[in-house]
């Protein structure tokens, strides 16, 4: 007897070991449960859904995310002993076998919800061997997951007609609602579709109604705790007539973040995102063919992007694939406020400083104003407000294009130079390099945040205040903000500081604005870069910017402080000897006539030298003209009466 018991024990132990080894060698394949992507707003609202592999709309679901009525009906209709059996219900299997024997065909399958999950994970033909595999898989699932986790798998995988899987996808497609808010009638229809996905209400409405109503039979409804009044009301509820589109707000950002998989929570505001997309669509309708609108809304204190429109297009099928907030485009004059802020911060100018808006050549570069006219002597404040080109280029020549480019890069917007360029040059002041709309919005956020730039991000874990960098001091930022704060030409919210930009040929029309809390950037143009005749930032983008700020809660910046002309450069910095032109590292043309060297500061008389040899100059003047020597590198030097020197090494080139 003992030997027999010992052999039985050994046999059972070996069987258990084999089962354990088989379980580990052949675990359930959960790959089909991989959901599609979800983009969610800061408050948790679903903004956009992305299909799973194979183009299937499958969204992960948990019991807590679906209607209690749906869960109760599911258990009552499919597996009333779900919470007590180990994955297989022997009573249900015996009942199914007896019905099969009595009727010669399958009346009920006897499958538990766990067995259904096994079949959904690994679909097989309905055969006895397949049923045996389902039973084994059910035991494996029960050993690995809790009952609520198994319910979650069923809720994620249940077919809902066509390429819909899971009750959350079904609720959105058939009712345009979240699964947690489904009524009794809606819950019953989704469960009926899980049984027979071909009975879609848009294609077989009568059959779909009959399948739904059978789930609402008195016995099932009673077991689910549904009152008779609610059951009768559900039976009288009409079915949906058509399938609804899946949520698709912020589609460009959804595609950008698709690689993260699953649910991605962003900093976007759902209501603002919807309003921004409507605004962009309305603005797009009034634009020429193939033109588009891109928008960025952000908070400059935190860097959180609150709404993002990558492009509003017409009917072109592939046009919407490009996120134009990330496209590198010319900013036109939109960089000038940053240039003036840097100049104010360095003490090179103040709002009341007089600047010359007169014809001037900077080597081979001869900038002009947009209207091809000149204003003469103007204050820096007026030059910025009127977006005059010559004063901006002159300021950049004093700052140095390389230093300004470094400041832009520090603020998260490294300027992309033209293909043939090796370093930043004076055209940078007028948009002669590329940035993205997101980067431009980030730069302007520094003007609204006291000179501190924070990289903009649509993710809560993105760059924040801890990674902020100071671009210039708070006084310079406040001065520029005050100069740019003025009413919108066509009316709109007050207390907004704004600037426009137009790239060469009307390829890009921009308007960027900020208040004490928000920064908004607008781009209008054609994705392929072809010009829009007559397009300017003021006429195309600025009205959209005014409407965009109307969508935000008011946060006006303080009224502008009027800075008198007397508040120009203080004497000590102004007296410092400086070589204004040519700048260090400049490439200049040889053989194209006289070149004018310009200096500032220092005690006169000044002496000008080229490669150490003096050139003719007038003692009372701070400039001297000379004919450039032949091609090559040469050193330009200016000496004042105190022996202070300022120099720049430049290169002269012979140009064809």
């Amino acid at each position: 007897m003992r030997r027999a018991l010992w052999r039985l024990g050994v046999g059972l132990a070996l069987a258990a070991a084999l089962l354990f080894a088989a379980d580990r060698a052949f675990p359930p394949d959960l790959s089909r449960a991989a959901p599609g992507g979800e983009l969610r707003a800061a408050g948790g609202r679903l903004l956009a859904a992305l299909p799973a592999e194979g183009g299937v709309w499958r969204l992960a679901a948990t019991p807590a995310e679906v209607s209690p009525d749906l869960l109760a009906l599911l258990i009552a209709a499919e597996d009333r002993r779900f919470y007590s059996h180990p994955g297989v219900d022997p009573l249900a299997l015996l009942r199914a076998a007896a019905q099969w024997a009595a009727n010669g065909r399958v009346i009920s399958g006897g499958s538990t919800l766990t067995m259904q999950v096994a079949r959904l994970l690994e679909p097989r033909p309905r055969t006895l061997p397949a049923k045996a595999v389902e039973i084994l898989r059910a035991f494996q699932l029960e050993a690995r997951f809790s009952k609520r986790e198994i319910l979650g798998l069923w809720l994620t995988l249940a077919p809902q007609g066509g390429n819909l899987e899971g009750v959350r996808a079904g609720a959105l497609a058939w009712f345009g609602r979240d699964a947690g808010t489904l009524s009794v009638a809606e819950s019953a229809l989704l469960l009926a579709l899980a049984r027979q996905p071909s009975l879609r209400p848009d294609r077989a409405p009568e059959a779909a109604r009959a399948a739904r109503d059978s789930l609402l039979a008195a016995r099932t409804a009673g077991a689910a705790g549904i009152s008779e009044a609610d059951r009768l009301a559900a039976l009288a509820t009409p079915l949906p007539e058509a399938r609804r589109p899946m949520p698709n707000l912020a589609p460009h950002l959804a595609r950008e973040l698709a690689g993260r998989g699953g649910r991605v929570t962003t900093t976007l505001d759902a209501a603002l995102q919807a309003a921004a997309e409507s605004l962009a669509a309305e603005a797009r309708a009034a634009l020429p063919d193939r033109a588009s609108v891109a928008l960025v809304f952000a908070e400059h204190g935190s860097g959180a992007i609150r709404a993002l429109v990558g492009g509003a297009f017409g009917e072109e099928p592939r046009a919407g694939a490009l996120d134009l907030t990330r496209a590198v485009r010319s900013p036109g004059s939109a960089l000038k406020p940053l240039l003036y802020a840097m100049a104010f911060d360095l003490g090179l100018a103040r709002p009341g400083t007089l600047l010359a808006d007169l014809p001037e050549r900077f080597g081979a570069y001869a900038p002009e104003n947009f209207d091809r006219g000149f204003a003469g002597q103007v204050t820096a404040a007026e030059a910025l407000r009127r977006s005059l080109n010559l004063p901006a280029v002159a300021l950049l020549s004093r700052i140095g294009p390389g230093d300004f480019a470094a400041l832009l890069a520090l603020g998260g917007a490294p300027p992309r130079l033209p293909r043939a360029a090796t370093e930043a040059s004076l055209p940078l002041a007028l948009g002669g390099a590329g940035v993205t709309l997101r980067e431009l919005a980030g730069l302007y956020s520094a003007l609204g945040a006291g000179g501190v730039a924070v990289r903009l991000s649509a993710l809560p874990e993105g760059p924040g205040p801890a990674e902020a960098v100071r671009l210039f001091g708070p006084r310079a930022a406040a001065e520029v903000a005050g100069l740019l704060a003025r009413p919108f030409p066509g009316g709109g919210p007050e207390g907004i500081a704004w600037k426009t930009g137009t790239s060469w040929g009307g390829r890009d029309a921009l308007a960027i604005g900020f208040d004490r809390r928000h920064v908004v950037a607008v781009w209008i143009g054609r994705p392929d870069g072809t010009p829009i005749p007559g397009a300017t930032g003021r006429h195309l983008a600025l009205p959209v910017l005014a409407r965009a700020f109307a969508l935000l809660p008011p946060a006006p910046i303080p009224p502008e402080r009027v800075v008198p002309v007397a508040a120009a450069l203080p004497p000590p910095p102004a007296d410092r000897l400086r070589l204004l032109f040519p700048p260090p590292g400049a490439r200049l043309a040889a053989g194209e006539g006289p070149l004018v060297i310009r200096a500032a500061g220092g005690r006169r008389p000044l002496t000008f030298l080229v490669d150490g040899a003096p050139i003719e100059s007038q003692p009372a003047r701070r400039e001297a003209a000379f004919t450039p020597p032949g091609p090559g590198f040469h050193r330009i030097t200016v000496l004042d009466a105190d022996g202070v020197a300022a120099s720049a090494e430049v290169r002269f080139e012979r140009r064809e």
Side-chain angles (χ1 to χ4, degrees):
M1 183 67 179
R2 290 181 180 177
R3 184 180 296 274
L5 290 175
W6 182 82
R7 288 177 178 174
L8 177 61
V10 171
L12 290 174
L14 287 174
L18 288 172
L19 287 173
F20 179 82
D23 175 69
R24 291 298 179 265
F26 303 101
D29 183 0
L30 301 178
S31 59
R32 286 203 74 253
E38 297 181 40
L39 190 76
R40 291 180 171 266
R45 175 181 163 184
L46 180 64
L47 295 173
L50 294 173
E53 186 176 353
V56 176
W57 293 105
R58 182 190 306 122
L59 302 179
T62 66
E65 294 174 309
V66 303
S67 162
D69 287 331
L70 187 147
L71 288 178
L73 274 172
L74 173 62
I75 299 299
E78 298 291 343
D79 192 355
R80 296 188 185 184
R81 287 179 288 275
F82 172 71
Y83 288 105
S84 60
H85 64 62
V88 175
D89 186 348
L91 295 177
L93 287 177
L94 288 172
R95 183 190 69 246
Q99 290 173 339
W100 181 34
N103 296 276
R105 59 186 179 89
V106 175
I107 302 298
S108 63
S111 292
T112 62
L113 286 174
T114 313
M115 292 169 64
Q116 291 181 33
V117 169
R119 184 168 64 249
L120 291 170
L121 287 170
E122 301 177 65
R124 290 182 173 85
R126 299 292 186 91
T127 62
L128 286 177
K131 181 67 70 175
V133 173
E134 286 176 20
I135 291 172
L136 293 174
R137 289 299 195 199
F139 286 129
Q140 288 182 294
L141 291 171
E142 291 279 346
R144 283 171 165 78
F145 301 106
S146 68
K147 289 290 187 179
R148 290 186 66 80
E149 288 172 331
I150 292 170
L151 268 182
L153 287 170
W154 190 96
L155 295 169
T156 299
L157 291 165
Q160 296 290 281
N163 64 341
L164 299 172
E165 289 187 5
V167 295
R168 287 188 57 227
L172 291 169
W174 295 118
F175 307 112
R177 299 170 58 187
D178 188 81
T181 64
L182 294 175
S183 67
V184 172
E186 292 165 343
S187 298
L189 177 62
L190 296 191
L191 295 179
L193 284 170
R195 286 180 170 180
Q196 292 180 280
S198 61
L199 302 183
R200 291 174 47 166
D202 59 338
R203 296 183 179 178
E206 295 304 320
R209 177 182 288 276
R212 181 200 70 177
D213 292 353
S214 70
L215 259 164
L216 291 169
R219 182 171 179 270
T220 303
I226 296 170
S227 69
E228 182 63 12
D230 288 342
R231 185 182 79 87
L232 293 175
L235 291 171
T237 302
L239 271 63
E241 297 180 355
R243 176 172 159 174
R244 300 167 183 257
M246 300 298 280
N248 194 34
L249 288 173
H252 298 89
L253 185 62
R255 285 193 290 268
E256 177 185 340
L257 301 178
R260 291 173 169 258
R263 302 180 185 183
V264 178
T265 299
T266 69
T267 60
L268 299 188
D269 179 290
L272 180 61
Q273 180 66 34
E277 293 191 17
S278 295
L279 170 60
E282 292 171 7
R284 162 67 188 85
L287 294 175
D289 291 342
R290 298 184 294 110
S292 184
V293 181
L295 297 166
V296 177
F297 292 71
E299 292 180 356
H300 50 62
S302 63
I305 294 176
R306 294 306 184 192
L308 190 74
V309 181
F313 299 87
E315 300 302 322
E316 300 167 66
R318 298 180 59 188
L322 178 64
D323 183 351
L324 294 168
T325 68
R326 304 171 70 195
V328 176
R329 309 301 289 253
S330 167
S333 295
L335 293 180
K336 287 177 182 175
L338 285 304
L339 175 62
Y340 277 82
M342 188 176 184
F344 292 171
D345 196 50
L346 293 174
L348 299 178
R350 283 283 176 257
T353 302
L354 288 175
L355 302 175
D357 183 47
L358 296 168
E360 185 173 2
R361 293 184 66 87
F362 299 86
Y365 183 46
E368 295 180 332
N369 287 319
F370 185 79
D371 61 4
R372 300 187 182 278
F374 297 94
Q377 293 290 324
V378 295
T379 64
E382 185 180 2
L384 175 56
R385 280 176 164 172
R386 294 175 59 181
S387 197
L388 300 175
N389 288 345
L390 268 297
V393 175
L395 281 177
L396 183 57
S397 72
R398 296 171 66 183
I399 291 172
D403 288 349
F404 184 51
L407 177 110
L408 299 179
L410 184 64
R416 284 72 161 186
L417 303 178
R419 187 170 301 176
T422 58
E423 57 186 0
S425 57
L426 294 179
L428 178 59
L430 310 182
V435 295
T436 72
L437 192 67
R438 292 195 204 182
E439 292 169 348
L440 198 57
L443 290 173
Y444 271 69
S445 73
L447 294 173
V452 176
V454 177
R455 304 284 179 93
L456 303 186
S457 175
L459 295 173
E461 68 272 19
E467 300 177 53
V469 294
R470 178 165 292 283
L471 300 186
F472 28 77
R475 176 181 175 180
E479 286 174 339
V480 171
L483 295 176
L484 296 179
R486 57 229 197 262
F488 287 107
E494 297 182 354
I496 310 300
W498 55 265
K499 181 72 179 73
T500 62
T502 306
S503 68
W504 183 79
R507 288 170 167 79
D508 306 277
L510 300 108
I512 308 95
F514 59 93
D515 58 16
R516 284 185 297 175
R517 182 179 178 186
H518 304 98
V519 58
V520 181
V522 179
W523 173 91
I524 292 177
R526 288 184 171 134
D528 60 4
T530 54
I532 299 177
T536 65
R538 187 179 186 87
H539 292 103
L540 287 186
L542 190 58
V544 179
L545 182 69
R547 294 176 62 190
F549 269 100
L551 301 176
L552 297 170
I557 64 173
E560 173 195 353
R561 290 182 179 180
V562 178
V563 182
V565 174
L569 237 36
D575 285 343
R576 176 174 49 86
L577 181 65
R578 304 179 304 284
L579 186 61
L580 298 182
F581 186 83
R587 295 188 175 190
L588 307 172
E592 294 188 3
L595 180 76
V596 178
I597 303 174
R598 292 186 174 84
R603 192 164 67 87
R604 289 177 287 190
L606 303 182
T607 302
F608 295 87
L609 306 95
V610 177
D611 294 332
I615 61 174
E616 183 178 351
S617 62
Q618 298 181 20
R621 297 183 65 85
R622 297 182 185 274
E623 60 183 35
F626 82 108
T627 301
F633 290 94
H634 300 275
R635 177 168 289 275
I636 308 294
T637 305
V638 58
L639 294 170
D640 71 358
D642 296 321
V644 177
S647 299
E649 188 172 276
V650 299
R651 179 178 181 178
F652 289 96
E653 300 174 338
R654 191 172 301 281
R655 298 173 182 172
E656 300 298 332

